Amino acid sequence: PGDYVMVQFSGSDAEAVGFITRPPVGGGNSQSGYQIDPLGNIEFPLLGRVKLAGLTISQAKESLTKSAGVFVKNPLVDVGFTTFRISIIGVGAGIKELPIQRNTLLEGLAMAGEIEQTGKLYDVRLFREYKGQRTIYRVDLRNKDILNNPEIFQLRHNDVIYVKTKPSTLFREDFRFFTSIFSFVISVVTLGVAITNNN
């Protein structure tokens, strides 16, 4: 729910296809996509409500093709996310939107910035909720085996990547903080001594 999907119909009956592809009910258009409502549906003037929440892209395509087949002979349906969204926490934190539907873990991490300088490349966590199941993968980017594991290497929409900060980076940040505090205290003391001496 809340995601936007692109849905395009084509077929031999242009008039019926035109009815199906009229602007989406509840906002949006064929360019920006159809928003999935809180109940997991999108709505078409001719097809009515179609439930897509919880389906993969291929399952959604199959469901819409079946629904459109009642009105259009040999319909062709194309379905995709209008954006591919992942979240990164830790180093490079933020919500990132990728322009294509198939994205790899390395492409997602590239959106986080220069993690090789400040992140633990040997202890990256991938959190995924898919078909009602929540899974946590621990990833060591130094291990080439992840390239051959599609469950980890291939990202899914709404994945969350946690990149831990290197201890040395935390030490440098703490050191800079305490150094600035120490400098401030010294300045205050020096000022106090100078004022006292002038009196």
Side-chain angles (χ1 to χ4, degrees):
D3 285 339
Y4 281 86
V5 291
M6 175 275 296
V7 182
Q8 293 181 335
F9 295 90
S10 59
S12 54
D13 188 342
E15 187 176 350
V17 169
F19 274 110
I20 293 174
T21 56
R22 277 168 52 196
V25 173
N29 54 57
S30 57
Q31 282 74 44
S32 64
Y34 297 78
Q35 187 176 28
I36 298 176
D37 69 22
L39 298 177
N41 304 309
I42 57 176
E43 190 171 348
F44 299 93
L46 196 60
L47 303 183
R49 287 189 178 90
V50 180
K51 192 169 185 67
L52 294 186
L55 302 182
T56 63
I57 289 294
S58 58
Q59 288 170 337
K61 183 176 177 179
E62 184 179 337
S63 174
L64 287 165
T65 300
K66 184 176 179 181
S67 297
V70 176
F71 304 97
V72 180
K73 188 177 180 181
N74 300 322
L76 295 174
V77 183
D78 188 22
V79 182
F81 289 110
T82 58
T83 55
F84 188 100
R85 185 173 60 246
I86 61 170
S87 299
I88 297 174
I89 53 178
V91 178
I95 295 175
K96 316 294 182 180
E97 291 194 350
L98 298 157
I100 57 175
Q101 290 183 46
R102 291 183 63 81
N103 297 282
T104 67
L105 177 63
L106 299 182
E107 288 166 330
L109 289 170
M111 300 288 286
E114 298 180 3
I115 64 165
E116 70 275 7
Q117 302 296 327
T118 56
K120 286 185 177 181
L121 301 182
Y122 52 88
D123 191 12
V124 174
R125 304 295 170 92
L126 175 63
F127 298 85
R128 174 174 296 154
E129 184 171 351
Y130 183 62
K131 290 186 176 179
Q133 213 170 19
R134 294 174 181 171
T135 311
I136 303 173
Y137 299 96
R138 184 173 177 174
V139 182
D140 184 348
L141 294 176
R142 303 169 301 180
N143 189 340
K144 65 179 182 180
D145 289 343
I146 66 166
L147 301 175
N148 301 315
N149 186 341
E151 277 299 306
I152 295 175
F153 191 65
Q154 199 69 51
L155 291 176
R156 293 188 187 277
H157 187 55
N158 288 327
D159 275 355
V160 177
I161 302 171
Y162 175 33
V163 183
K164 292 185 176 181
T165 306
K166 286 181 182 177
S168 57
T169 305
L170 291 173
F171 174 77
R172 285 197 301 271
E173 289 176 355
D174 288 345
F175 181 76
R176 281 196 296 267
F177 174 74
F178 286 117
T179 300
S180 62
I181 292 295
F182 183 72
S183 299
F184 175 73
V185 170
I186 292 295
S187 300
V188 170
V189 170
T190 304
L191 181 63
V193 170
I195 290 172
T196 302
N197 289 339
N198 287 337
N199 292 334

